[in-house]
Amino acid sequence: MNLVKKIAISLFVSSMFLQSAFAGVDEDVFQLKKTWEQLKYKTLLSEQEKGFESLLTQSEKVTAQYPNKAEPLIWQGIIEGTFAGVRNGIRGQLAALSLVKDAKQHFEQAIKIDPHGSDGSAFTSLGSLYYQVPPWPIAYGDNETAREMLVKGLEINPDGIDANYFYGEFLFKRGELNKATEVLKRGMLAAPREGREIADEGRKKEINDLLKKIADKK
């Protein structure tokens, strides 16, 4: 076999390996997404803590398997942040603080690898943490940083349902009701995400609930 044929075969094998690796990470991350949405939107709150604990273990394995990919880091951060929100009791609350700190670190790592990964979800998710967690010295909550991160997420994905929901919720909490209404209504018009029907349905319900709260305040 001449050198040209050897190089051609080598390049072909390498290409097939890379395609397989990308397919693997996409499938593994998709499974994390599907389990997350089942837990968040289809599981009783009293049963979510145990479920997210198990899902976090699964996500850690996926992240370790693909250390240079942004999407596993993003979803590990999302799972950590959601898990923190359902922890119960004093020990659970202390563990939640550790989880949101870990989530922040994972979102920041993902941004360094690929700021546009998962349509800017790292910026959006990081922004949501900044306005939901307590400020220093307990945690790192900061409304100015939250706004900055959320706006960056919207710049990358201006019509995304999650990007608009979290920015809308932030504006609502800040008392910017007219702007919040505008942003949330834009989120309701987001295109359906293939295979994410449960997440889309759940997020639209959250948007509608928030719009009702805004209407009650006006």
Side-chain angles (χ1 to χ4, degrees):
M1 185 181 296
N2 62 39
L3 180 61
V4 173
K5 285 185 177 180
K6 286 182 178 180
I7 293 173
I9 291 172
S10 176
L11 289 172
F12 174 76
V13 172
S14 297
S15 174
M16 292 298 293
F17 174 78
L18 287 172
Q19 290 178 19
S20 175
F22 288 141
V25 67
D26 288 344
E27 178 61 27
D28 288 344
V29 170
F30 184 73
Q31 291 304 318
L32 295 178
K33 294 178 184 180
K34 297 299 290 183
T35 306
W36 176 87
E37 65 187 31
Q38 283 286 342
L39 286 169
K40 181 171 175 61
Y41 294 116
K42 297 294 183 180
T43 303
L44 292 174
L45 185 60
S46 60
E47 299 174 6
Q48 287 185 16
E49 184 173 359
K50 185 176 180 180
F52 279 114
E53 184 175 13
S54 176
L55 182 59
L56 179 56
T57 300
Q58 182 182 344
S59 74
E60 289 169 344
K61 293 177 181 178
V62 175
T63 301
Q65 188 174 355
Y66 309 103
N68 298 316
K69 298 290 287 182
E71 287 76 9
L73 285 165
I74 291 169
W75 272 93
Q76 184 168 341
I78 290 172
I79 291 162
E80 286 165 336
T82 313
F83 184 21
V86 300
R87 294 303 300 258
N88 295 311
I90 299 299
R91 291 181 63 186
Q93 291 172 9
L94 292 173
L97 289 173
S98 177
L99 284 167
V100 296
K101 290 175 182 177
D102 288 345
K104 176 178 179 290
Q105 180 182 358
H106 290 130
F107 292 138
E108 290 172 342
Q109 286 180 282
I111 289 168
K112 288 179 180 178
I113 294 172
D114 181 7
H116 290 78
S118 294
D119 294 322
S121 292
F123 284 115
T124 296
S125 299
L126 184 55
S128 74
L129 288 178
Y130 268 107
Y131 74 77
Q132 293 184 79
V133 305
W136 188 89
I138 298 174
Y140 52 84
D142 183 288
N143 285 321
E144 290 185 12
T145 305
R147 190 187 296 270
E148 178 186 348
M149 295 293 105
L150 292 167
V151 168
K152 284 183 178 179
L154 270 174
E155 288 173 350
I156 295 170
N157 190 20
D159 299 317
I161 190 169
D162 290 335
N164 281 284
Y165 166 72
F166 284 112
Y167 189 41
E169 185 182 55
F170 169 78
L171 293 168
F172 167 73
K173 290 178 179 291
R174 299 294 294 163
E176 300 175 44
L177 302 185
N178 290 334
K179 181 65 174 177
T181 299
E182 175 189 335
V183 170
L184 291 167
K185 286 184 176 179
R186 186 166 64 238
M188 287 295 289
L189 299 176
R193 295 173 290 186
E194 184 177 356
R196 303 295 311 285
E197 293 82 7
I198 293 174
D200 284 346
E201 179 186 2
R203 191 67 83 200
K204 285 185 176 182
K205 181 181 184 304
E206 290 171 332
I207 291 175
N208 273 322
D209 290 345
L210 196 49
L211 286 170
K212 290 176 183 177
K213 290 181 181 179
I214 293 173
D216 290 341
K217 283 181 172 288
K218 289 184 175 181

